[in-house]
């Protein structure tokens, strides 16, 4: 069989402020790959990309080396990298068989040859669950919600939680876990369609942070016991002022400062008098503790429709640079995902 | 015996900014008390004041009701209240005998009749330890240091800690505990005599935060694993920027914002990427857990000179309003204490 085109999204230029489609990220169609003939070394696997996750934290890796936050800077001229679901086409590795679906950190490309598979995981075949779910509600975002909840929320029935960017992939999972555990949920987002989604998830109070003062809402519907912080900045400051004694802040994101200078926080004295705990949680610290429980619990719930989620799907790598920008600006509703094949 | 004068320090006016001697606090000599003849109800105890603690947190109770931080507002026209050591003169309470020294929250007055003694504690008679120590190195400040260390510092040998207002009653205890546990100690204070005291305590790096940029010092001698926060504001912001992964902030004070508007904090995104834990610790949450261990451990160490401390002593209630102001401004070195009698 003749080589086929292997479209890739390359990291082309360091970003200052928002990433710019065609400058920060470019789509490259110059490469081809011979799916049957490309030589594989012992241990290598040739895979086809099924679904690629696009996540807010990636912005942190688009800054210059030394200015990055969430990991090392992406390499200039190389494909963007993030969580993907791929399907094995050919394998020289005894742990991975053709036809299996595998989850890990891979390139933004149609095909790729994987060499180090030590952190890749073969996915369970759960009837009724699309593969794209494994980079969203069942991937890093869903895991972040679950791990943060177990590790740092210490929620008790009847408490009140405020969740910022609540319609996002992490936030919408937290809304559902919090409601299932008997909490009152205050949730914010930036568009009417996101607020509608939050109402459907059962949030008790929803508001648009772009048109409503966070502090006023928390004063009226709080005080809160937990602040689930995806945002930082003003939301964090308002939450600190409205936390109960022994309140908790679970910090899993900081979208307000990814593309611009951080907004100032003033209400730190209250951390002392209210004996507040603020804690940053990253997903990869806790896989060993919680991943098996997560995979045992959530794929069946998703298959049965007990966990709701919304995806913002694009079907081509060509649309990726714009999707990355839209996500940083909060323009998409639901988990941003690139789906290149359904199975 | 004729009634004697009972000098008191009254809370006279709510403070905005620094408390003003003669306005916020006034010395009152109009009251007398009959030490032998004053009637005592069942359960009451008549006591003579030995030592009174003056602490930075008290500023929070001098604001208008609704604007206070550290507990309820002091009552206008009533004596100031804080931790004291008193000696029992007469007792109608079977748990307290004349001659015993007792520790609790009492009035700034030469004598007083106590009614509710449920939170008062009879002190051990430790040879070589002055009673004033029981409101300082062995009182609330020492306990704050010990409890915060046990609860929230999670220190490991070889780690680096930065301690702000390190020459204060809490900070100087933390410096010594940290050195005893094998940490590298970076310590800041605002006068040369305080820095000299910190050198004597064994701090590895000392600096004057008024003349040196905190950020520069932490960049040069950090990164740090623990920030012991007595200050808030710029010190907290600089510490956040220089914490290691899995760093901890133990917040036990906030002197930078007690008398003026809080300084802004910008470096909160790092809480996420570095998985930092910030926790506020107040002494009265942890007595049940740690007080017995504290009293068993530290009074003998103080008596043997193994724990160093410096007191800023005044010998009369007349000097109290000025002492309170000096402490808020950082003008005194060592634990501020009013000693009215040696035993």
């Amino acid at each position: 069989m003749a080589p086929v085109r292997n479209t890739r999204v390359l990291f082309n230029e360091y970003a200052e402020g928002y990433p710019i489609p065609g400058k920060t990220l470019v789509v490259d169609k110059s490469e081809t790959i011979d799916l049957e003939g490309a030589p594989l070394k012992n241990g290598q696997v040739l895979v086809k990309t099924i679904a690629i996750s696009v996540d807010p934290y990636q912005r942190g890796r688009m800054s210059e080396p030394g200015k990055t936050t969430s990991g090392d800077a992406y390499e200039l001229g190389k494909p963007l990298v993030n969580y993907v679901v791929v399907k094995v086409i050919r394998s020289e590795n005894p742990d991975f068989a053709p036809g299996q679906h595998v989850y890990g950190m891979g390139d933004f490309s149609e095909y790729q040859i994987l060499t180090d598979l030590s952190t890749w995981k073969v996915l369970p075949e759960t009837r009724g669950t699309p593969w794209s779910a494994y980079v969203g509600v069942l991937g890093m975002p869903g895991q972040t919600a679950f791990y943060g909840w177990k590790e740092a929320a210490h929620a008790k029935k009847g408490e009140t939680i405020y969740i910022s960017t609540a319609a996002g992939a992490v936030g919408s999972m937290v809304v559902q876990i919090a409601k299932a555990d008997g909490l009152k949920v205050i949730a914010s987002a930036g568009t009417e369609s996101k607020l509608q989604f939050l109402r459907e998830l059962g949030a008790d109070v929803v508001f648009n942070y772009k048109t409503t003062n966070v502090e006023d809402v928390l004063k009226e519907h709080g005080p809160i016991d937990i602040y689930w912080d995806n945002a930082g900045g003003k939301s964090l400051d308002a939450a600190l002022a409205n936390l109960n004694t022994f309140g908790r802040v679970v910090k899993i994101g900081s979208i307000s400062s990814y593309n611009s200078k951080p907004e100032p926080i003033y209400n730190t004295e209250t951390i002392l008098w209210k004996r507040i705990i603020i804690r940053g949680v990253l997903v990869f610290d806790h896989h060993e503790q919680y991943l098996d429980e997560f995979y045992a619990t959530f794929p069946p719930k998703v298959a049965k429709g007990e966990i709701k989620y919304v995806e913002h799907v694009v079907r081509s790598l060509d649309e990726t640079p714009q999707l990355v920008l839209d996500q940083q600006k909060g323009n998409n509703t639901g988990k941003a995902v690139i789906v290149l094949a359904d199975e």
Side-chain angles (χ1 to χ4, degrees), chain A:
Chain A
M1 204 168 99
V4 297
R5 193 192 60 202
N6 186 20
T7 304
R8 304 175 303 159
V9 178
L10 303 181
F11 181 61
N12 185 61
E13 199 178 290
Y14 297 119
E16 292 180 41
Y18 286 103
I20 303 165
K23 275 189 80 176
T24 316
L25 303 176
V26 296
V27 179
D28 175 83
K29 294 176 187 285
S30 66
E31 200 181 81
T32 60
I33 186 167
D34 183 344
L35 299 179
E36 288 174 357
L40 292 183
K41 290 180 193 148
N42 191 22
Q44 285 187 325
V45 174
L46 172 64
V47 300
K48 173 186 166 186
T49 304
I50 303 293
I52 302 176
S53 186
V54 174
D55 295 301
Y57 89 90
Q58 292 184 268
R59 172 61 188 82
R61 299 188 61 184
M62 298 181 196
S63 297
E64 277 180 55
K67 293 186 179 174
T68 61
T69 49
S70 52
D72 295 332
Y74 283 124
E75 260 186 275
L76 288 176
K78 294 282 172 71
L80 209 59
V81 171
N82 197 23
Y83 295 98
V84 298
V85 172
V86 298
K87 185 179 183 178
V88 178
I89 297 177
R90 287 165 47 212
S91 176
E92 292 296 329
N93 186 315
D95 296 332
F96 298 88
Q100 282 184 329
H101 290 79
V102 185
Y103 174 76
M105 268 279 176
D107 288 353
F108 279 51
S109 63
E110 292 179 291
Y111 302 96
Q112 59 197 297
I113 292 171
L114 304 175
T115 299
D116 176 6
L117 287 112
S118 58
T119 61
W120 289 72
K121 196 166 172 80
V122 176
L123 291 172
E125 309 268 334
T126 308
R127 201 184 295 256
T129 307
W131 292 115
S132 60
Y134 283 92
V135 296
V137 66
L138 297 175
M140 182 275 281
Q143 290 158 16
T144 298
F146 184 63
Y147 300 176
W149 193 257
K150 302 274 275 191
E151 272 293 299
H154 305 299
K156 287 180 276 296
K157 194 175 168 177
E159 287 191 329
T160 299
I161 185 172
Y162 165 45
I163 304 165
S164 56
T165 72
V170 180
S172 58
M173 184 75 151
V174 178
V175 171
Q176 294 176 80
I177 295 174
K179 285 312 299 175
D181 281 4
L183 278 79
K184 174 178 169 181
V185 172
I186 304 171
S188 63
T191 68
E192 179 50 40
S193 68
K194 290 178 183 179
L195 298 186
Q196 187 49 37
F197 176 45
L198 290 172
R199 287 182 200 108
E200 287 161 18
L201 295 182
D204 300 279
V205 177
V206 307
F207 69 97
N208 187 329
Y209 72 92
K210 289 180 179 169
T211 57
T212 313
N213 185 294
V214 186
E215 181 102 39
D216 293 344
V217 176
L218 297 184
K219 273 215 180 92
E220 185 182 345
H221 298 283
I224 59 176
D225 301 288
I226 305 167
Y227 171 46
W228 188 279
D229 186 25
N230 297 338
K234 280 175 202 157
S235 299
L236 175 56
D237 211 24
L240 284 173
N242 288 281
L243 273 165
N244 270 326
T245 300
F246 300 115
R248 292 130 268 158
V249 175
V250 187
K251 183 156 190 64
I252 63 92
S254 206
I255 189 74
S256 73
S257 59
Y258 291 165
N259 298 285
S260 50
K261 286 193 178 159
E263 297 164 352
I265 305 285
Y266 294 96
N267 298 315
T268 54
E269 191 180 318
T270 191
I271 296 166
L272 171 59
W273 308 120
K274 299 277 182 72
R275 290 88 97 194
I276 288 164
I277 297 180
I278 304 178
R279 178 164 171 191
V281 175
L282 284 187
V283 71
F284 47 77
D285 291 333
H286 305 287
H287 285 318
E288 206 172 315
Q289 253 172 304
Y290 298 122
L291 186 60
D292 288 344
E293 184 184 350
F294 180 83
Y295 275 139
T297 308
F298 287 93
K301 281 183 194 286
V302 168
K304 282 184 227 158
E306 290 170 13
I307 296 281
K308 294 189 181 74
Y309 64 100
V310 172
E311 287 176 343
H312 181 100
V313 175
V314 304
R315 286 272 171 182
S316 141
L317 285 173
D318 297 355
E319 298 174 54
T320 302
Q322 185 62 42
L323 178 62
V324 168
L325 175 60
D326 282 346
Q327 180 178 65
Q328 293 294 324
K329 293 198 158 179
N331 292 338
N332 61 304
T333 299
K335 170 70 191 119
V337 56
I338 305 153
V339 178
L340 299 182
D342 288 323
E343 52 192 60

